[in-house]
Amino acid sequence: MLYHLLYPLSADLSVLNVFRYITFRSIYALLTALVLSILFGPPMIRWLAKLKFGQYIQSDGPHHQAKAGTPTMGGLLIIISVVVSVLLWADLNNSYIWLTLLVLVGFGAVGFIDDLTKILHKRNKGLTSSQKFIGQILVASAAICLLIFEPAYSTKLYVPFFKSLTPDLHWFYLPFAVLVMVGSSNGVNLTDGLDGLAIGPSVAATGCFALFIYVVGNSTMAGYLNVAYVPGVGEVTVLCGALLGAGLGFLWFNAYPAQVFMGDVGSLSLGGTLGFISVLAKQELLLAIVGGVFVFETLSVILQVGYFKMSGGKRMFRMAPLHHHFELKGVPESKIIIRFWILSILMALMALSTLKLR
Ligand code: 57M
């Protein structure tokens, strides 16, 4: 809205010309979302606690009983801060912005229903995994169908490291992109089991994709770096900025020892949105590197379950996902978290280096 209100006045007041720049608006979107989440964090945490939206703790896992009753559904703070900041700073005529907001809110709605049913039914009984899965598929399919109809968007797949390997997936692109989004959403959800464990790597991944989105939306840079050029997608950098700010603001309260958990409303929407941003940036395969921590966590569950079945009851890890394994080995929670953050920063840097390795 600020963009629409102030930029037209730049003809009379040249200083307002800065509103034209994606970089300027992205930085202010970041700061706005950060300030909003830090300001509204404490009242929201008090409100969630008052409504008794506290976490039920399973008794079969590592010792998290001290965390019982910590308010959950803090992901609402992230979603609200991003939406407000994007409405203020982004060009609202840009359809990619609306599509990404649809994904953020749509995946958030699936998580919200899951969290709410868990809280209302007590004892952690939320949506069944297939109900959640159907919800995620519906939101992702709607977004990808709308995206494919954008004239500037192509269904080609850009393979990292190979600049001339760009097969066109045509209609197969729909299930592929849906899989990327749903997989990413569940990967972040599985990772969200220690204070700050999901939001730290999400912030690193968002920062990395903000740069990719900016490059992919700029014809000169995209041409120079040999990546796909998607006209108009650069505006989504503003949304990435807001997501970065809101993520850091949420981390303020979710840092160990956490005052609030994000809940499925946060983890499903963050993961789904990261998946969609990778689709917009035509870097779907690179998401496996950028979100490497989410991939390791998911792989640990697949390996654990597979090995358990094949070996007739033996376990590969003390408990999956991977963070539980380290907890049960006696590694302090804050050490696991910070080591996973270090890993996620390294993975994001590695992914950025592919811009030059092709
Ligand atoms: C949800 N939820 C956290 C919080 C957060 C297939 C199987 C691997 C599924 C997996 C599972 O259910 N994962 C998804 C994980 C929970 O956090 C809530 O959930 C939201 C995210 N969806 O925002 O609201 C607990 O995590 C802790 N937490 C923090 N700080 C945070 O900032 O400490 C969360 C956020 C919270 C809190 O204690 O209560 C969770 O872990 O439950 N299931 C599992 O992870 C289970 N693993 C398992 O059964 N492994 C088996 C097989 C199936 C692979 C095995 O290894 O043999 C374990 N989870 C728990 N206890 N809690 C089992 C034991």
Side-chain angles (χ1 to χ4, degrees), residues 243-293:
L243 205 54
L244 261 177
L248 290 172
F250 175 75
L251 180 58
W252 193 268
F253 304 106
N254 183 233
Y256 179 83
Q259 295 158 267
V260 67
F261 299 153
M262 67 170 76
D264 279 22
V265 60
S267 59
L268 296 189
S269 65
L270 270 180
T273 307
L274 270 176
F276 188 64
I277 291 173
S278 79
V279 168
L280 288 179
K282 302 300 304 163
Q283 297 294 335
E284 306 87 348
L285 297 178
L286 202 71
L287 178 64
I289 300 179
V290 181
V293 165

Side-chain angles (χ1 to χ4, degrees), residues 45 48-49 52-57 64-72 259-261:
I45 293 170
L48 291 169
K52 305 236 179 319
F53 282 8
Q55 183 68 47
Y56 171 82
I57 305 284
H64 280 195
Q65 294 309 323
K67 300 182 183 221
T70 305
T72 182
Q259 295 158 267
V260 67
F261 299 153

Side-chain angles (χ1 to χ4, degrees), residues 160-288:
F161 305 111
F162 298 95
K163 65 179 169 203
S164 43
L165 188 57
T166 56
D168 195 338
L169 301 186
H170 299 286
W171 281 106
F172 185 69
Y173 191 78
L174 171 66
F176 167 72
V178 168
L179 181 77
V180 167
M181 290 170 69
V182 174
S184 165
S185 179
N186 289 322
V188 175
N189 188 33
L190 283 176
T191 308
D192 191 24
L194 296 180
D195 301 350
L197 193 68
I199 195 65
S202 299
V203 164
T206 308
C208 175
F209 274 129
L211 290 173
F212 269 100
I213 284 279
Y214 185 71
V215 168
V216 167
N218 182 300
S219 61
T220 318
M221 283 193 210
Y224 175 67
L225 290 166
N226 250 310
V227 291
Y229 167 52
V230 188
V233 107
E235 190 64 28
V236 178
T237 319
V238 179
L239 191 144
C240 291
L243 205 54
L244 261 177
L248 290 172
F250 175 75
L251 180 58
W252 193 268
F253 304 106
N254 183 233
Y256 179 83
Q259 295 158 267
V260 67
F261 299 153
M262 67 170 76
D264 279 22
V265 60
S267 59
L268 296 189
S269 65
L270 270 180
T273 307
L274 270 176
F276 188 64
I277 291 173
S278 79
V279 168
L280 288 179
K282 302 300 304 163
Q283 297 294 335
E284 306 87 348
L285 297 178
L286 202 71
L287 178 64

Side-chain angles (χ1 to χ4, degrees), residues 6-28:
L6 299 178
Y7 180 52
L9 303 180
S10 62
D12 301 318
L13 196 58
S14 61
V15 66
L16 296 178
N17 210 21
V18 286
F19 278 87
R20 203 179 99 203
Y21 299 107
I22 288 175
T23 41
F24 171 80
R25 287 182 288 113
S26 302
I27 291 168
Y28 279 88

Side-chain angles (χ1 to χ4, degrees), residues 52-116:
K52 305 236 179 319
F53 282 8
Q55 183 68 47
Y56 171 82
I57 305 284
Q58 281 175 232
S59 53
D60 55 347
H63 305 298
H64 280 195
Q65 294 309 323
K67 300 182 183 221
T70 305
T72 182
M73 296 174 78
L76 282 174
L77 186 67
I78 302 178
I79 296 179
I80 294 170
S81 308
V82 171
V83 171
V84 173
S85 172
V86 166
L87 292 181
L88 283 175
W89 293 102
D91 171 1
L92 300 179
N93 292 323
N94 183 294
S95 49
Y96 298 115
I97 287 286
W98 288 108
L99 281 179
T100 319
L101 285 181
L102 166 85
V103 171
L104 182 81
V105 175
F107 273 82
V110 178
F112 181 83
I113 298 171
D114 185 40
D115 285 334
L116 206 62

